[in-house]
Amino acid sequence: MDILVTGGTGYIGSHTCVELLQAGHKVIIVDNLSNSRADVVDKLRTITGLTPVFYKADVENRAALREIFAAHRPEAVIHFAGLKAVGESCRLPLKYYRCNLDATLSLLEVMEEFGCKRLVFSSSATVYGPDNPVPYTESMPARVATNPYGWTKIMIEQILRDHTAADPAFSAVLLRYFNPIGAHTSGLLGDDPNGIPNNLMPYISRVAAGKLPHLTVFGDDYPTPDGTGLRDYLHVVDLAKGHLKALEYAAQHTGAEAFNLGTGRGVSVLELVHTFEKVNGVPVPYVIGPRRDGDLACCWANAEKAARLLGWTAEMTLEDMCRDSWNFVKNA
Ligand code: NAD
Ligand code: UD1
């Protein structure tokens, strides 16, 4: 199948492109490189022996998208492109609403023009907001976010529900990711944020590499077994594979359907730190600091719907995640 992948040179997009290429799909990447590098395309070729088509273009740019659709007539789209930094979204909300909403609207309009009816969208566990109890199930209300980034995900989910209601032939799969970490086993692809990382695993890796002096654990007074926050970490390669299952689902169903992609298990900050140290044989010095504004104590998935309807379950262990994250940082 010819599949257009927006944001395909990014962290999750690049791992998904590996799986798509290895499964025999033709991959057309559209990315403006605002948070990734063009050499990812070479790395995809090195890993798979196959070459995706790459366009450096903004998904907000309808004229550019039209040319790409006219040249390739993709049967389905996986839409990763968007801005994702929670803190930045609070400082620059208009930038986030403009980018994430405009990109999606332009994409849907051009898909409509070319009769492309299948979309897999990168949503987030953040749509469950602060009020639902864990574990989160897809039937819970997902209507309150705590930051502009989260609001863009809620709004885009709604846009997709409205669009599929108006076009009964359209299929939108909303994948609500929990916390992807890890990297491709080749060590060529991984999460490589610019500047000081906000997220836990990239921060741990840089501390282990001696590039940052220590990790600050944001709070040890949560109502959890060791007092630190619990999250549902999943390996990015497992997550990537979920997109292939979502494409299969979209080929057989219409309408908008949400799925959690997580392991169903909560892991504490300290459990992740200690697993990383043990698996990789490197120390990760840390200090306990205050809670971070906006953080929840607990966030993990009920992952049964994806298992039942997509035939997808996360298979890789926390040890795999820690080993592969470190392997990527060591090679960088
Ligand atoms: P990423 O920043 O590594 O990848 C996003 C890619 O999109 C980048 O390569 C960037 O250059 C590109 N991009 C951004 N805006 C664009 C635009 N207007 N036009 C073209 N390209 C554009 O992020 P990621 O971690 O791979 O996340 C992918 C998607 O998954 C995002 O939508 C993100 O919100 C969502 N998500 C990520 C996480 C996570 O923990 N990483 C969790 C939940 C949801
Ligand atoms: C954050 C975002 C979420 C986004 C996700 C992936 C918030 C409130 N949520 O989730 O919307 O989908 O990133 O991009 O920002 N921690 C530390 N020290 C650190 C960093 C993190 O103790 O230096 C802790 C956090 O308090 C949390 C856990 O590690 O308990 C995971 O944090 P992080 O990786 O930032 O992910 P989330 O906060 O779950």
Side-chain angles (χ1 to χ4, degrees):
M1 210 193 318
D2 290 13
I3 298 163
L4 188 95
V5 183
T6 77
T9 47
Y11 174 47
I12 306 169
S14 59
H15 288 84
T16 303
C17 286
V18 169
E19 300 302 321
L20 291 169
L21 289 164
Q22 287 177 338
H25 295 294
K26 181 173 173 197
V27 173
I28 304 116
I29 296 174
V30 184
D31 199 301
N32 65 6
L33 303 181
S34 61
N35 198 35
S36 56
R37 291 164 32 163
D39 66 1
V40 165
V41 177
D42 304 323
K43 292 174 177 173
L44 291 173
R45 190 181 306 125
T46 305
I47 293 168
T48 65
L50 299 161
T51 309
V53 180
F54 174 67
Y55 290 94
K56 181 176 186 293
D58 202 300
V59 182
E60 291 170 55
N61 181 344
R62 265 180 299 182
L65 274 187
R66 266 189 210 108
E67 281 184 25
I68 296 166
F69 270 77
H72 299 282
R73 306 257 163 195
E75 281 166 70
V77 177
I78 308 181
H79 180 34
F80 294 104
L83 302 175
K84 64 163 185 176
V86 172
E88 186 187 51
S89 82
C90 297
R91 287 194 306 281
L92 301 170
L94 300 185
K95 179 178 171 185
Y96 272 67
Y97 286 116
R98 172 66 73 196
C99 175
N100 291 0
L101 298 180
D102 254 14
T104 306
L105 290 170
S106 296
L107 178 65
L108 288 173
E109 285 167 357
V110 176
M111 286 177 74
E112 190 168 43
E113 282 173 42
F114 285 85
C116 180
K117 302 283 187 189
R118 278 182 238 161
L119 180 74
V120 177
F121 170 63
S122 301
S123 189
S124 167
T126 196
V127 301
Y128 290 110
D131 299 326
N132 286 304
V134 285
Y136 299 137
T137 57
E138 292 85 348
S139 56
M140 287 176 173
R143 287 191 286 271
V144 180
T146 53
N147 55 72
Y149 162 75
W151 277 112
T152 68
K153 296 296 181 192
I154 290 175
M155 289 176 183
I156 293 169
E157 285 201 356
Q158 187 58 40
I159 289 167
L160 292 173
R161 280 189 287 270
D162 290 341
H163 186 57
T164 51
D167 180 354
F170 198 90
S171 176
V173 181
L174 321 177
L175 296 180
R176 295 174 176 168
Y177 310 154
F178 282 69
N179 289 55
I181 59 172
H184 193 263
T185 46
S186 62
L188 293 174
L189 303 174
D191 193 9
D192 189 15
N194 292 328
I196 296 180
N198 294 309
N199 296 121
L200 182 58
M201 183 53 103
Y203 207 107
I204 289 177
S205 304
R206 287 204 194 169
V207 171
K211 293 180 182 162
L212 290 167
H214 60 78
L215 170 75
T216 301
V217 175
F218 295 145
D220 68 350
D221 57 352
Y222 285 107
T224 61
D226 67 15
T228 67
L230 297 181
R231 295 290 182 275
D232 189 335
Y233 300 99
L234 79 158
H235 199 294
V236 66
V237 171
D238 272 335
L239 179 61
K241 289 178 178 166
H243 293 74
L244 275 73
K245 298 289 190 182
L247 282 174
E248 287 170 21
Y249 183 89
Q252 289 155 13
H253 299 81
T254 54
E257 201 67 48
F259 293 97
N260 290 339
L261 294 186
T263 64
R265 185 167 96 87
V267 168
S268 78
V269 176
L270 291 180
E271 185 181 352
L272 188 62
V273 168
H274 295 317
T275 306
F276 189 99
E277 290 181 312
K278 192 166 152 216
V279 168
N280 297 316
V282 283
V284 179
Y286 65 86
V287 297
I288 305 293
R291 292 181 180 191
R292 179 172 65 178
D293 275 354
D295 271 357
L296 303 173
C298 301
C299 172
W300 72 86
N302 175 320
E304 284 168 16
K305 185 176 174 188
R308 191 163 34 88
L309 297 182
L310 298 182
W312 176 90
T313 42
E315 286 171 356
M316 298 173 86
T317 64
L318 198 61
E319 284 75 12
D320 296 330
M321 301 176 212
C322 291
R323 188 198 57 232
D324 293 340
S325 291
W326 179 232
N327 184 41
F328 171 67
V329 169
K330 268 193 314 188
N331 284 343

